[in-house]
Amino acid sequence: MIEEQASRTAVLVCQGRAVGDGRVGVGRFSDPVAAQLLQGEERQAVERARSGSAPRQWRERMHYEMLNATSAVLVTRTVVIDEAVRSAGNPQLVVLGAGLDARAWRMSELSGAVVFEVDHPASQQDKRQRVDSLEPVCKSLTYVPVDFGRDELGPALAAAGHDQASPTTWIWEGVLPYLTHAEAEATLLAVAERSAEGSRLIATYPMPNRLAALGRRGMQVYSRLTGAKDPLENERHVSAWSPEQMRSLLAAHGLTVTSNVDLFATSRDLSIPARQSRFYGLGYAVVADKLGG
Ligand SMILES: C[S@@+](CC[C@H](N)C(=O)[O-])C[C@H]1O[C@@H](n2cnc3c(N)ncnc32)[C@H](O)[C@@H]1O
């Protein structure tokens, strides 16, 4: 990420959730807070995408299609992650690279949980302005500014009051593609050190996928054609893992993979219209637990 600039991909994925709310994956997915975190043109684009009538004008039409396709990706991964958070039921939740994640404001299951949001300082500052007067529904919410490429996660969490003796659920959603393998490992080392028995890590990660690389190239071309800003301009995908690589990486840090879900297959199971989404590289959601004994 570029220093001092809030994440634009965080806005894009928030738009995806706002487009999906009440329309996609109904009964399994809901994020009424997402739209409230958007501003001006970001929110208007969501309203156009939700309208169900494709604009005639080609620029708007492309944006409409892009946001609807993004929504399919986001709804799918949110369903998988929310269910894994609920079933863990841990007293602490750490959201790594939180962006405009709204779980602390929308998941009533977190009412007894202490939540920490970790993010790049510029993205976190932007989020804090956006959440403004919204009240979290969790027991407590603490912001922890950390640049994974520069700062040490473990001491930052300790200073923020994270209890390493108590089980934690960690969410690492849509962040791994932006980290180098070394940054991912350093983060994982801190996660492992601070994971008491019963802790759970839920992460999404991309597979090496030439079609998805083509999709990201399409995003660049689309942005150039429409005069829009490319959300990936300052946040390039730099890493990918095979499920086997991910399993051994997690095992090396004492985390046992209990499920590894192909998100494209999951979108089908949920009847989410992810027709074009292979180009967006849905990737995998992995759940890994710190088991006892
Ligand atoms: C695609 S957004 C995902 C946000 C959120 N997890 C979600 O799924 O809605 C990527 C997030 O990773 C964060 N990020 C990327 N590189 C980072 C770094 N080096 N240090 C801290 N955060 C980083 C960005 O600030 C941004 O919030």
Side-chain angles (χ1 to χ4, degrees):
M1 274 190 70
I2 298 259
E3 294 283 304
E4 314 309 336
Q5 273 187 32
S7 166
R8 295 191 60 79
T9 59
V11 172
L12 175 65
V13 295
C14 182
Q15 286 178 303
R17 290 186 289 262
V19 169
D21 183 50
R23 296 173 65 241
V24 183
V26 177
R28 303 285 295 278
F29 166 81
S30 157
D31 189 347
V33 180
Q36 299 177 58
L37 300 179
L38 299 171
Q39 299 165 336
E41 171 50 30
E42 299 161 2
R43 200 186 293 188
Q44 285 159 20
V46 164
E47 280 158 16
R48 282 195 296 276
R50 288 176 61 87
S51 71
S53 69
R56 291 231 176 106
Q57 211 262 343
W58 70 271
R59 281 200 175 99
E60 288 183 358
R61 173 68 188 256
M62 283 180 82
H63 206 180
Y64 172 97
E65 298 294 350
M66 193 265 282
L67 283 183
N68 274 294
T70 301
S71 170
V73 176
L74 267 297
V75 169
T76 304
R77 79 184 196 196
T78 303
V79 168
V80 173
I81 295 170
D82 284 2
E83 287 179 2
V85 170
R86 280 187 202 108
S87 65
N90 280 329
Q92 300 184 106
L93 174 70
V94 178
V95 188
L96 298 165
L100 302 180
D101 186 303
R103 290 184 175 89
W105 290 265
R106 68 171 172 79
M107 285 187 77
S108 55
E109 298 88 337
L110 296 177
S111 62
V114 171
V115 177
F116 300 86
E117 286 207 349
V118 178
D119 208 349
H120 188 280
S123 304
Q124 194 161 80
Q125 197 184 359
D126 178 56
K127 188 199 196 148
R128 294 185 73 160
Q129 281 159 7
R130 289 170 185 262
V131 291
D132 191 28
S133 56
L134 293 179
E135 276 298 318
V137 294
C138 54
K139 186 170 164 192
S140 71
L141 172 63
T142 306
Y143 294 101
V144 188
V146 168
D147 179 340
F148 297 126
R150 197 187 56 194
D151 306 322
E152 282 200 66
L153 175 63
L157 277 170
H162 174 259
D163 178 5
Q164 76 184 111
S166 168
T168 300
T169 296
W170 307 83
I171 298 178
W172 212 2
E173 179 184 8
V175 185
L176 276 163
Y178 308 103
L179 304 185
T180 63
H181 280 237
E183 287 166 354
E185 283 211 41
T187 306
L188 204 46
L189 202 61
V191 166
E193 276 173 10
R194 305 199 65 81
S195 285
E197 192 179 310
S199 293
R200 164 171 285 185
L201 171 68
I202 310 156
T204 60
Y205 66 96
M207 278 269 283
N209 175 351
R210 293 172 76 178
L211 218 49
L214 213 63
R216 290 194 294 279
R217 177 87 188 113
M219 176 89 84
Q220 271 179 338
V221 173
Y222 152 81
S223 304
R224 212 165 289 147
L225 287 175
T226 58
K229 204 154 171 38
D230 176 7
L232 300 177
E233 185 182 328
N234 298 329
E235 293 164 74
R236 295 281 171 227
H237 282 207
V238 292
S239 296
W241 291 261
S242 69
E244 295 69 34
Q245 285 173 322
M246 186 52 72
R247 188 180 296 274
S248 48
L249 176 65
L250 294 171
H253 292 87
L255 293 162
T256 305
V257 171
T258 44
S259 82
N260 185 59
V261 176
D262 172 351
L263 291 171
F264 187 69
T266 309
S267 70
R268 291 277 166 89
D269 294 345
L270 293 168
S271 305
I272 291 172
R275 192 164 44 89
Q276 297 166 303
S277 294
R278 271 207 182 278
F279 283 101
Y280 288 80
L282 264 74
Y284 284 83
V286 67
V287 178
D289 291 326
K290 180 80 170 258
L291 305 174

